[in-house]
């Protein structure tokens, strides 16, 4: 399986990253995509992935929370990263009006800067949207004809949002949010409507620990908890859903077929 979104550069993995990767492999999560959250984290993610190219890919980008940290040299730094062989997508990028850690106009311009890069480099985008659906959709709709593809990671929204993303021919990433019976119930009802060639799974580790997992810190070895919940939602065997989501992720992120 492929965990399409994990923050392995996070300080909570500093002490035991080798064990985390080993446990992931033992749990059937043989490949992972490390998320870039700003230029510095993206450079760290690129170094990490370059050291283990069989196992890891990464994204390069600026999370909307960090949009205000973008400086005049950031676009060139991201452009340089985009040429590295392990950098498989631009992002995570998008809009987050839930916490508003960066001013909204800055979020929008930093988002578009990354869409422009992804279009120019013909790379897919790894997208984040929280409480910003209308602006996010408006920007993305304008750029979509120029983009080769995109995944709305950690989708937790409502049916109308999902339909709008699928109408733009985007992929959808599902996290352990679905393992929470209370918060994830509406999501479980929506998952069967996602075309199977658009669906991928992720942990977003060290965040969003599945309710059912045996530790407080989330890690890629807990991806099977997400798989189990997604398989239950679509009413198919776990092995089948694992196979399908892995093939989709291989194609999307350019991993060699396993
Ligand atoms: Zn995100």
């Amino acid at each position: 399986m492929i965990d399409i979104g994990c923050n392995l550069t996070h300080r909570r993995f500093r002490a035991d990253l080798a064990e985390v990767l080993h446990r992931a492999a033992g749990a059937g999560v043989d490949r992972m995509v490390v998320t870039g959250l700003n230029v510095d984290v993206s450079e760290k993610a690129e170094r990490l992935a370059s050291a283990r190219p069989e196992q890891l890919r990464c994204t390069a980008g600026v999370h909307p929370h960090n949009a205000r940290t973008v400086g005049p040299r950031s676009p060139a730094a991201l452009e340089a990263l985009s040429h590295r062989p392990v950098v498989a997508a631009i992002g995570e990028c998008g809009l987050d009006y839930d916490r508003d850690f960066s001013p909204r106009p800055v979020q929008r311009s930093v988002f578009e800067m990354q869409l422009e890069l992804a279009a120019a480099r013909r790379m897919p985008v790894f997208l984040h949207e929280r409480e910003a659906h209308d602006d996010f959709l408006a920007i993305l709709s304008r750029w979509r004809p120029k983009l080769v593809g995109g995944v709305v990671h950690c989708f937790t929204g409502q049916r109308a949002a999902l339909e709008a993303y699928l109408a733009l021919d985007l992929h959808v990433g599902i996290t352990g949010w679905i393992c929470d019976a209370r918060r994830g119930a509406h999501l479980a009802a929506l998952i069967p409507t996602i075309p199977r060639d658009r669906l991928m799974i992720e942990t977003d580790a060290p965040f969003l620990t599945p309710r059912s997992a045996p530790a407080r810190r989330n890690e890629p070895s807990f991806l099977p908890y997400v798989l189990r919940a997604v398989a239950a939602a679509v009413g198919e065997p776990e092995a089948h859903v694992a196979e399908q989501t892995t093939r989709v992720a291989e194609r999307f992120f350019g991993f060699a077929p396993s």
Side-chain angles (χ1 to χ4, degrees):
M1 279 181 280
I2 300 174
D3 183 352
I4 69 149
C6 50
N7 300 280
L8 295 182
T9 61
H10 196 276
R11 57 185 160 71
R12 291 174 73 188
F13 292 121
R14 201 176 293 155
D16 64 344
L17 182 62
E19 289 147 62
V20 166
L21 293 172
H22 185 72
R23 275 199 294 277
V29 185
D30 55 329
R31 289 164 295 170
M32 288 146 260
V33 182
V34 185
T35 311
L37 300 173
N38 59 34
V39 171
D40 183 48
V41 169
S42 300
E43 286 172 346
K44 286 187 180 127
E46 192 278 331
R47 284 196 293 275
L48 187 63
S50 290
R52 299 169 183 264
E54 301 298 313
Q55 205 174 8
L56 302 178
R57 292 287 184 280
C58 70
T59 70
V62 180
H63 189 287
H65 286 342
N66 301 321
R68 64 188 161 79
T69 69
V70 164
R73 283 193 299 273
S74 302
L78 291 180
E79 212 270 343
L81 276 170
S82 76
H83 287 272
R84 302 288 300 163
V86 292
V87 175
I90 300 301
E92 86 178 80
C93 58
L95 301 175
D96 192 314
Y97 295 175
D98 182 33
R99 306 229 221 150
D100 281 322
F101 287 160
S102 287
R104 293 179 182 186
V106 178
Q107 291 190 38
R108 290 192 287 268
S109 72
V110 169
F111 182 27
E112 295 214 56
M113 177 267 283
Q114 295 174 85
L115 295 174
E116 188 178 351
L117 173 61
R121 298 281 301 116
R122 302 199 56 74
M123 292 170 76
V125 279
F126 189 84
L127 298 159
H128 171 107
E129 181 267 315
R130 200 67 80 234
E131 302 295 329
H133 175 70
D134 291 349
D135 282 1
F136 179 81
L137 191 66
I139 292 173
L140 210 47
S141 300
R142 261 196 290 114
W143 280 94
R144 183 64 184 95
K146 296 189 174 122
L147 297 169
V148 294
V151 56
V152 181
H153 110 100
C154 191
F155 178 78
T156 59
Q158 303 300 323
R159 182 176 297 271
L162 179 62
E163 286 173 356
Y165 298 147
L166 292 173
L168 283 181
D169 197 23
L170 297 170
H171 287 67
V172 179
I174 299 294
T175 59
W177 192 278
I178 192 184
C179 302
D180 185 318
R182 187 173 46 86
R183 294 192 306 178
H186 84 282
L187 203 52
L190 291 180
I191 286 176
T193 71
I194 302 174
R196 229 45 69 75
D197 62 353
R198 289 293 173 270
L199 176 64
M200 297 188 276
I201 54 176
E202 52 176 327
T203 61
D204 206 24
F207 315 113
L208 296 178
T209 310
R211 273 284 175 89
S212 35
R216 298 277 296 276
R217 181 193 68 179
N218 198 7
E219 60 174 62
S221 71
F222 296 161
L223 190 65
Y225 293 95
V226 181
L227 172 71
R228 188 167 307 159
V230 169
V234 298
E236 286 176 21
E238 287 175 31
H240 188 214
V241 177
E243 165 79 18
Q244 282 180 325
T245 52
T246 300
R247 297 288 164 250
V248 175
E250 281 173 348
R251 272 198 298 278
F252 188 90
F253 291 102
F255 282 102
S258 56

